[in-house]
Amino acid sequence: MTVALDRLRGGAPAKRHNARTIAALTANPGCTRRAVLDAAGVDKPRLAQHIGFPGNFGQSRFALARGNGFEAMLKADNCALLLSVLRDVLGLDTPEVSYDDLGEDADDTLGARHGRTRDLLAAAAGAALIDHPLLTLDVAGRQVFLEPDLIAFQVAGRLHVVEIKSFAVVDGQADSAKVSAAAVQAAVYVLALRRLLADLGHDPALVSHDAVLVCPQNFSLQPTAVLVDVRKQLSTLTRQLTRLASVTDVAEALPAGVSFDLSLPPADLIASLRHIEARYAPECLSACELAVHCRHEAAGTTAALGRPVRDALGGVDTVAEALALAAGARPPTEEQAEAAALLQAAARLRAEVLAS
Amino acid sequence: MSTLTALARAQAFAEGRAQPIATVRHLHLHDRPFVLIPYAMAGEANAPLAALAGTDRKDPQLLVVAQPRNRDDRFAFAADLAGLLVPYVDSFTAVAEAVPVDRGRDVRYRYVDAPQVWVPTTGGVDFLRLFGRSTRFRSTDGEYAVPAGVPLLGRWLTFFANSAEVPGSSLLLNAVQALSSHWATGQSSAEDAQLAALMAWLSPPPGRTVFEAAAAAEDPSVTPPAGPATDPGFDNHVLAPLLSVAEPDVAQLTEVLRAQLTPTWRLMWEALDLLRTLPPGARVPSRWDGDRDAFSAFAQHVAEGGPPQPRRDGAVAAAARLSRLEAAAARYAVQRAFDDPLVMAEHRLTGAAFAADVTLAKADRIDDSGKRPVLRPRIMVVTSEPVRVEPGAALFSPARPGQKATVISVTSEEPGKSTVLLELSGGMGRKLVAEPGSVPEVGERILLTTLSEAYRPGGALPEPDQTPWTHGGPPSAE
């Protein structure tokens, strides 16, 4: 079923999906190009570099170091510090909380770790923390391994996904963009966990839709935990994943010559990209590695100026068309009639005011 | 986004240069602004890394944190910044003027001028707010004492950051927002958020198209970001090796950070030059008066040793603040439209305003149906613009702000043309004969709008100790 997708990559190994890339799928659901490339596991950063449109997606090593340091501090001594904040927010009142570390991240032991995660979840009772669990999720007909920061059991038997982030919560407030990104990621884990429980014959609703977000408080490294309701993100995600199932059909319908094998010359890769429709929006610039190329391709469209601009221009596709309608130089189609009248009035007003 | 602004963006793209979306400047531009470009340490909770600041374009002061993870170094930086900002702020507290209040029965004093701080982006404003939060509660004695100026800096930064939330205030401004409310570029607002990319559209370097200039502005290795976030490449390849030792080489650190910040410093002053080319709007000085009031009140609060701003407002204070912000937003929107025909054009497009020619005018019409005869002239206007008002609606004209025109009837004899009969009241003097020029004459083209500058009183709020239980009850002493 995924042969068509695998072929797109050439000989290169598939790039692993993670919660972040899955979360990004929900950012611009209308983009077929992104869906196909991600489903096929194409190395998009290298592809963008190779065709001469490198993105700017570097991460500061200071930020990485702080994130890792914060997580290590929380998990030291069998998660002593983490447990203390979780006790408050989840109401864990039993003195004994079991802690299982399923081991470090390594590609060759993925299957084994997932197996142990299943065993633990099938057997577990009582309060427990599971560190380095490994979950799976079907994305576009392909099994993807996911690694939440932690799963916590509450005494009442409810499972909570714990997400550790290193951005600060100051006086109960944090950067809204970062919180919503964390919420979408947590939703990915909740969904994967629910599907696993359903698999094991348990009630998927045992997994709480309240994910726990653990962040440094104010300007210190002192942790604080808050519950984040991810129901909205879950429903968006479920919908997008259902849509993605059709990606294989798109891939199968592509001409035989389409390939993203990075050993091909850039011109061929760009030609291949043209076969898959993209839906560029300026928001892509902060979410997708291919965005700079897509922006170049979309130059002259109203969508490249942002969705509000496109809407205000009456949904007309290109800048040239919008200006022609505004100048009355082009007869509008039936559905453009209203937009054209508005554009002409706007052009008249601008000309009148700027001339005086 | 209005269709008018969207059209300006489309025109900007097609012509390859930015297009005006305002004909006057809607903000006060100070003769001696304080420009501040903060840089933050990646990953840390709002820890400063450096700042380029000052009022002298030719002589910016560079402040550097020798080791950003070291608490003492961070507070030494805060003390240095206080040493620049606090004297600047204090320099406006020398001369005050008396303002009559309570219909002339009393006077209060306000300073004749106020400070104005400029940062590059909204991110800069957020940085200052959090930096204010992290410094204003610090104590200057005891175990964790900080240098003397630090808590004072925190209060002033908090004051500036709070006033930046008030629409129309010019105490703390950011260049990106100021520029993009006066010009439209041919790129998206996401790209405009970078000062260098925005300036590439507004004044591309000679010999370059805006598209080339914008591409160069987006490459962090060519154009360093305006902050407060640093370029990850700079962090990893330049900063990390320098900070990896216990005692970083401050001279070298200073040099690399100066190179990162200087391009933005230049852009900031060019941005101010550009804004200065626009004449100020007629209602800008009155808004600046409000800013001077806010500044005077807070300067007095500080001088009297008042407490720092609370971490969070109580329920009543928050409601009062929200109501003030809403009133300011409504007032700013109306004032912008009254000051600027290009902004008013947006309302004309939606039918909230229209330009019309006066065809009939009866300036001496007296209404004597009431107890006393009153002057109620009537005029008839004809317009080809869409008119979306009902009889009984009150219209106003920017040319005669004190006058109300009540719609008596709207008729449309031929398609695309409307005739509106209006009755005027107010703004014509106290006699039964209108002052010369106060009633529009036949042949005059006037602009009428439903927007009103009239004062709208806010809702009554309880005293803090009367906070209802639905809002948490009266605040307990912390």
Side-chain angles (χ1 to χ4, degrees):
Chain A
M1 187 180 164
T2 57
V3 181
L5 284 172
D6 285 332
R7 189 183 54 77
L8 291 178
R9 229 167 38 237
K15 201 146 154 65
R16 264 171 64 187
H17 255 299
N18 54 39
R20 242 184 154 127
T21 58
I22 295 172
L25 290 176
T26 61
N28 188 356
C31 185
T32 315
R33 181 178 290 172
R34 178 183 185 127
V36 170
L37 291 180
D38 279 344
V42 172
D43 189 341
K44 284 193 299 175
R46 278 189 57 210
L47 176 63
Q49 182 98 37
H50 195 56
I51 59 175
F53 292 96
N56 193 15
F57 280 87
Q59 218 182 349
S60 169
R61 69 162 86 162
F62 299 125
L64 287 173
R66 175 156 155 126
N68 294 340
F70 183 60
E71 188 171 337
M73 185 185 88
L74 285 169
K75 288 188 176 175
D77 300 326
N78 289 347
C79 289
L81 190 56
L82 184 60
L83 204 54
S84 69
V85 290
L86 289 183
R87 272 185 199 287
D88 289 344
V89 74
L90 292 180
L92 292 170
D93 49 7
T94 40
E96 280 303 308
V97 175
S98 76
Y99 171 75
D100 292 282
D101 188 350
L102 295 179
E104 279 305 312
D105 187 35
D107 275 12
D108 48 342
T109 59
L110 290 175
R113 265 172 67 207
H114 178 55
R116 279 192 289 152
T117 309
R118 280 179 76 105
D119 295 346
L120 258 178
L121 286 171
L129 293 177
I130 305 177
D131 198 359
H132 295 113
L134 202 66
L135 304 172
T136 59
L137 192 67
D138 275 345
V139 178
R142 172 187 300 275
Q143 198 179 47
V144 172
F145 286 105
L146 295 170
E147 196 178 11
D149 286 332
L150 205 80
I151 300 169
F153 278 100
Q154 204 181 343
V155 201
R158 298 269 279 175
L159 288 156
H160 287 268
V161 168
V162 178
E163 188 64 14
I164 299 173
K165 290 283 166 194
S166 67
F167 57 81
V169 174
V170 178
D171 298 336
Q173 288 185 310
D175 188 328
S176 58
K178 288 176 178 161
V179 176
S180 58
V184 179
Q185 276 186 49
V188 175
Y189 298 135
V190 171
L191 187 66
L193 199 53
R194 283 189 172 174
R195 298 218 166 144
L196 175 61
L197 282 196
D199 245 22
L200 294 170
H202 292 300
D203 180 8
L206 282 179
V207 185
S208 170
H209 55 245
D210 284 329
V212 184
L213 184 62
V214 181
C215 292
Q217 189 169 27
N218 296 347
F219 303 98
S220 67
L221 271 177
Q222 194 62 39
T224 178
V226 283
L227 290 178
V228 181
D229 185 340
V230 298
R231 267 178 287 188
K232 189 164 159 268
Q233 288 82 353
L234 267 175
S235 64
T236 319
L237 197 65
T238 322
R239 198 170 58 242
Q240 294 319 327
L241 288 177
T242 326
R243 256 196 84 256
L244 268 191
S246 60
V247 162
T248 353
D249 300 341
V250 177
E252 275 162 9
L254 289 174
V258 172
S259 168
F260 300 102
D261 190 336
L262 291 178
S263 57
L264 292 172
D268 291 6
L269 291 171
I270 291 175
S272 289
L273 281 173
R274 270 204 209 103
H275 283 283
I276 315 175
E277 198 195 338
R279 185 178 290 177
Y280 170 77
E283 294 76 35
C284 294
L285 288 171
S286 59
C288 178
E289 294 88 347
L290 265 183
V292 183
H293 172 260
C294 299
R295 178 175 68 173
H296 180 75
E297 216 178 52
T301 65
T302 52
L305 299 179
R307 192 159 298 146
V309 178
R310 188 190 151 90
D311 291 349
L313 291 174
V316 178
D317 278 333
T318 67
V319 169
E321 203 180 343
L323 290 177
L325 286 174
R330 175 195 177 106
T333 62
E334 207 173 310
E335 60 265 32
Q336 284 176 337
E338 202 180 327
L342 190 63
L343 283 171
Q344 281 175 23
R348 206 167 42 236
L349 281 170
R350 261 190 82 76
E352 180 197 314
V353 173
L354 288 172
S356 60
Chain B
M1 170 115 11
S2 73
T3 304
L4 219 58
T5 310
L7 185 66
R9 279 196 188 269
Q11 286 171 338
F13 177 82
E15 289 180 29
R17 69 190 167 87
Q19 300 292 319
I21 50 170
T23 59
V24 295
R25 194 177 67 229
H26 294 286
L27 50 90
H28 176 79
L29 193 44
H30 209 282
D31 293 333
R32 196 161 60 92
F34 187 91
V35 176
L36 174 58
I37 308 168
Y39 250 27
M41 179 77 181
E44 302 289 312
N46 214 63
L49 175 64
L52 200 58
T55 53
D56 186 349
R57 183 178 197 155
K58 292 184 200 71
D59 184 26
Q61 305 295 305
L62 178 67
L63 310 177
V64 172
V65 184
Q67 178 51 271
R69 294 190 201 87
N70 182 323
R71 182 181 181 279
D72 292 341
D73 285 350
R74 291 207 298 266
F75 285 118
F77 168 89
D80 288 347
L81 185 57
L84 291 178
L85 186 65
V86 173
Y88 170 72
V89 167
D90 281 343
S91 70
F92 296 99
T93 56
V95 190
E97 63 185 5
V99 186
V101 286
D102 201 12
R103 296 182 185 185
R105 273 173 289 202
D106 204 353
V107 291
R108 71 193 156 82
Y109 291 90
R110 80 172 160 213
Y111 297 118
V112 294
D113 204 357
Q116 182 176 62
V117 179
W118 281 84
V119 292
T121 61
T122 45
V125 176
D126 293 337
F127 178 86
L128 295 189
R129 171 177 302 115
L130 283 175
F131 197 50
R133 164 63 181 83
S134 71
T135 48
R136 71 177 187 265
F137 298 111
R138 300 290 162 183
S139 168
T140 51
D141 52 26
E143 195 179 350
Y144 299 106
V146 297
V150 173
L152 190 58
L153 174 79
R155 290 171 194 209
W156 277 114
L157 289 182
T158 307
F159 166 76
F160 281 116
N162 284 345
S163 61
E165 286 176 10
V166 181
S169 164
S170 294
L171 289 166
L172 170 59
L173 292 161
N174 77 77
V176 163
Q177 203 182 10
L179 293 171
S180 42
S181 58
H182 293 86
W183 287 279
T185 68
Q187 61 191 1
S188 72
S189 54
E191 288 143 330
D192 279 350
Q194 290 191 45
L195 180 61
L198 179 57
M199 285 298 286
W201 274 89
L202 291 169
S203 64
R208 272 194 176 178
T209 68
V210 291
F211 299 100
E212 290 163 356
E218 282 189 354
D219 184 350
S221 61
V222 179
T223 316
T230 50
D231 165 31
F234 170 75
D235 278 6
N236 295 345
H237 304 301
V238 181
L239 211 51
L242 280 174
L243 292 181
S244 60
V245 291
E247 295 277 318
D249 182 342
V250 177
Q252 225 181 338
L253 200 61
T254 308
E255 195 185 319
V256 296
L257 284 167
R258 188 185 293 278
Q260 287 285 297
L261 285 159
T262 304
T264 305
W265 178 263
R266 229 176 282 133
L267 286 178
M268 287 296 285
W269 291 93
E270 282 169 21
L272 295 182
D273 288 346
L274 264 176
L275 286 164
R276 232 179 267 282
T277 59
L278 289 173
R283 287 158 182 82
V284 169
S286 75
R287 288 202 296 273
W288 181 244
D289 288 347
D291 281 336
R292 290 195 289 127
D293 280 328
F295 166 69
S296 305
F298 190 71
Q300 268 160 26
H301 174 82
V302 169
E304 287 159 9
Q309 298 93 333
R311 282 182 178 83
R312 297 181 82 156
D313 283 332
V316 173
R321 180 169 162 72
L322 193 59
S323 146
R324 274 201 307 277
L325 290 179
E326 281 171 353
R331 192 173 58 237
Y332 183 50
V334 173
Q335 291 192 339
R336 266 166 53 89
F338 275 48
D339 277 355
D340 189 339
L342 203 47
V343 178
M344 186 60 94
E346 294 182 3
H347 298 284
R348 286 166 70 182
L349 198 58
T350 58
F354 57 91
D357 295 308
V358 181
T359 53
L360 286 173
K362 193 167 167 52
D364 55 358
R365 182 177 170 273
I366 306 285
D367 181 351
D368 50 12
S369 58
K371 274 186 196 153
R372 266 183 311 174
V374 283
L375 182 63
R376 290 287 180 269
R378 283 193 171 185
I379 58 169
M380 186 171 272
V381 297
V382 174
T383 178
S384 55
E385 293 180 19
V387 177
R388 298 204 178 104
V389 290
E390 298 283 321
L395 300 182
F396 299 86
S397 175
R400 298 179 178 84
Q403 192 169 69
K404 184 167 96 173
T406 309
V407 178
I408 303 298
S409 68
V410 184
T411 48
S412 185
E413 270 125 43
E414 48 182 302
K417 240 189 173 90
S418 308
T419 306
V420 186
L421 181 64
L422 300 158
E423 183 172 296
L424 307 179
S425 58
M428 293 173 290
R430 308 189 71 83
K431 295 195 282 285
L432 280 178
V433 180
E435 298 277 329
S438 63
V439 175
E441 282 169 32
V442 174
E444 194 180 326
R445 188 170 172 79
I446 58 170
L447 199 129
L448 292 158
T449 173
T450 52
L451 301 177
S452 160
E453 274 197 295
Y455 171 74
R456 264 173 286 178
L461 293 166
E463 290 296 313
D465 58 5
Q466 298 294 315
T467 308
W469 64 269
T470 48
H471 292 67
S476 53
E478 271 186 77

